[in-house]
Amino acid sequence: MAHIRQAGILAPGSDAVHDADVIMTAAVVGHAYARLSNNSNCAFDIEADTDPGQDARMAVNWDRHKRAVAKINKALETMGGQYGKPGTGKEAIVGVTPAYDKQGNITRITGGAGDLPLDSPLRYNPPLPKDLAGAKLYTLAFDSRVGYQGRGAYTGFVQGRQNGQSNLFSTYRQRVPTAFGRRWLPSTKPADSNAPIGLSQQERIWGMVGDNAMQEELRQQGMYFKDQDKARGGTGLVTDDIVGYTHGMVQAVYDVEMWKAINPHEHAGTPYEIAVGKETTKLASCFTCAIFMQANGHPASATHLGRGESWLPLYPENGSSVSTQDRTRAACNDKWAAYCKTIIDAGIACIERRLATDKHKASMTSLKACLAGKQPMDYANLVLDAVTVHEHEVVRVDRTLLA
Ligand SMILES: [Zn+2]
């Protein structure tokens, strides 16, 4: 099935920006509700910026972040009881992203630490890898020659695995396959006035971070473009393609889950992610990683509400049952899709009477019509579509909800 081309994500005549706003705001509020109703804490961390001279911008960001979390709590009040009420433990908390400490004190995002108390030192700074292979990989991950090192560079890996080690996992770009349900791209093809480099056409490929000209820079910073491989006989990308990015952390989660399937009686290890390169200092998972991690039993140590630009999972490459790797991908994705359905359904109930504008109300009507009778993967695909409209989640939440 080809991707569907229309103006809106949710309907031919709807507005894509407002569609993305209501999809992601429902998901964020629903995720908060899912955690709080499970007696877990729920913190949304501001993307701390340690760069001096950024104080004015940070003040604006702080105001917006606190306002957005307050709006999330107002929406949670819809569920009754103590939900959303300050000081009850049933409210979303404003957190601060632990920053990358060049002295090496806090250096990791951890999959699985997210249910520890917010003040637990083990949440953000668990013991360093003791196993030799893990320690070597940890050092290697800081090596500027390995993997993508540009803006937003994180490298995932697995620590504490009994009898073995995994790889390092860097963010990579890939083409969205057409075999896993409906995906959207806008009816107006986005123009890119920059001459393409390494691409065969003048237009920007939907989902791409940056314009065509920026792609060569990303490649030089070490990003792997899986969509340029030999699968199409070297054809590369065409304008009816969508591309996305699979972050290192989720690659590490698949790896841990595959190890569990192969060696059910051994400790499969813990998925980690560390910030690498000179441009990345924030140590929190993007929201899109966080819900995948939550769904697969590895809740994130910290979650920010920044961008998860064109986030993608990994898909089975040869059907869902041929290899352990493909079976694992299918199983992890099914859990993630089920979680997307849970949080979007809960989120819609929380936010549908708290929408800020008529355009958001129209998109909500489209969202409910679009989801009627749909399967979990259809919900998950809407999240993927929404994050191809690149924006900070905190901005979407802030402009979607009433105070
Ligand atoms: Zn991520």
Side-chain angles (χ1 to χ4, degrees):
M1 185 176 73
H3 304 312
I4 180 169
R5 232 185 224 291
Q6 61 183 29
I9 298 171
L10 297 167
S14 64
D15 176 82
V17 171
H18 291 84
D19 289 351
D21 278 1
V22 295
I23 293 165
M24 294 312 295
T25 302
V28 169
V29 175
H31 173 65
Y33 178 71
R35 283 192 58 83
L36 295 169
S37 62
N38 193 37
N39 295 320
S40 301
N41 51 48
C42 179
F44 292 115
D45 291 358
I46 187 167
E47 294 183 280
D49 194 332
T50 53
D51 187 7
Q54 299 294 315
D55 292 355
R57 192 169 62 79
M58 274 307 288
V60 173
N61 290 349
W62 259 114
D63 285 350
R64 187 177 60 198
H65 186 83
K66 286 192 278 194
R67 195 168 60 231
V69 174
K71 288 178 177 182
I72 290 168
N73 282 323
K74 272 286 177 198
L76 286 169
E77 285 184 16
T78 309
M79 300 310 245
Q82 295 182 315
Y83 288 107
K85 302 252 171 72
T88 63
K90 291 292 183 191
E91 80 276 32
I93 302 284
V94 172
V96 179
T97 313
Y100 174 39
D101 177 341
K102 303 282 181 192
Q103 273 67 52
N105 288 319
I106 297 176
T107 49
R108 279 164 289 171
I109 302 166
T110 308
D115 289 340
L116 291 171
L118 294 172
D119 58 358
S120 167
L122 293 176
R123 184 181 175 101
Y124 299 119
N125 198 14
L128 283 162
K130 287 208 170 58
D131 50 307
L132 184 64
K136 274 188 178 165
L137 270 178
Y138 190 79
T139 309
L140 190 63
F142 281 110
D143 186 318
S144 60
R145 291 164 300 174
V146 180
Y148 173 60
Q149 304 281 324
R151 183 174 73 94
Y154 296 93
T155 297
F157 67 116
V158 175
Q159 186 227 314
R161 176 167 294 172
Q162 192 179 340
N163 299 324
Q165 249 305 333
S166 70
N167 242 319
L168 291 171
F169 305 103
S170 293
T171 297
Y172 70 82
R173 197 183 79 191
Q174 55 171 320
R175 185 169 56 239
V176 175
T178 54
F180 297 91
R182 172 195 186 273
R183 287 297 309 272
W184 163 82
L185 69 176
S187 46
T188 310
K189 295 187 181 185
D192 180 356
S193 57
N194 291 296
I197 297 175
L199 293 168
S200 58
Q201 69 291 309
Q202 294 289 326
E203 286 162 333
R204 178 174 170 272
I205 304 297
W206 187 244
M208 227 173 227
V209 172
D211 57 20
N212 288 343
M214 191 183 147
Q215 302 310 307
E216 184 55 27
E217 191 184 325
L218 290 172
R219 190 200 303 275
Q220 283 170 9
Q221 288 171 336
M223 187 177 285
Y224 172 51
F225 297 155
K226 189 169 188 291
D227 46 57
Q228 298 297 302
D229 65 9
K230 304 283 186 288
R232 280 184 182 171
T235 307
L237 294 166
V238 299
T239 48
D240 284 335
D241 283 328
I242 304 171
V243 294
Y245 300 82
T246 304
H247 296 177
M249 174 59 93
V250 297
Q251 296 175 48
V253 169
Y254 288 113
D255 190 82
V256 166
E257 294 303 312
M258 186 171 75
W259 193 265
K260 281 186 194 168
I262 296 169
N263 308 292
H265 303 298
E266 293 185 6
H267 186 57
T270 302
Y272 281 92
E273 197 172 37
I274 59 173
V276 295
K278 294 186 184 70
E279 298 177 57
T280 306
T281 58
K282 290 166 267 184
L283 285 170
S285 294
C286 66
F287 177 75
T288 22
C289 276
I291 58 175
F292 182 92
M293 295 162 73
Q294 179 77 36
N296 281 286
H298 304 279
S301 54
T303 303
H304 68 71
L305 291 178
R307 293 168 183 252
E309 291 171 331
S310 304
W311 187 95
L312 263 194
L314 297 178
Y315 292 99
E317 291 180 345
N318 302 291
S320 300
S321 60
V322 176
S323 67
T324 307
Q325 182 176 63
D326 283 348
R327 274 195 300 276
T328 302
R329 289 182 179 188
C332 289
N333 292 357
D334 284 347
K335 288 181 189 172
W336 160 70
Y339 190 67
C340 288
K341 181 177 189 317
T342 297
I343 63 177
I344 289 175
D345 282 340
I348 288 172
C350 290
I351 72 168
E352 63 178 329
R353 282 174 210 88
R354 301 209 53 80
L355 299 171
T357 71
D358 286 345
K359 283 194 167 179
H360 288 110
K361 288 172 190 165
S363 285
M364 175 57 79
T365 302
S366 298
L367 176 61
K368 287 165 74 174
C370 199
L371 287 174
K374 288 295 182 349
Q375 297 301 307
M377 198 56 79
D378 299 312
Y379 283 72
N381 281 335
L382 288 185
V383 170
L384 300 186
D385 289 338
V387 295
T388 62
V389 180
H390 296 166
E391 184 54 277
H392 296 268
E393 304 313 337
V394 70
V395 173
R396 290 196 236 262
V397 168
D398 186 32
R399 70 186 174 202
T400 301
L401 293 177
L402 293 168

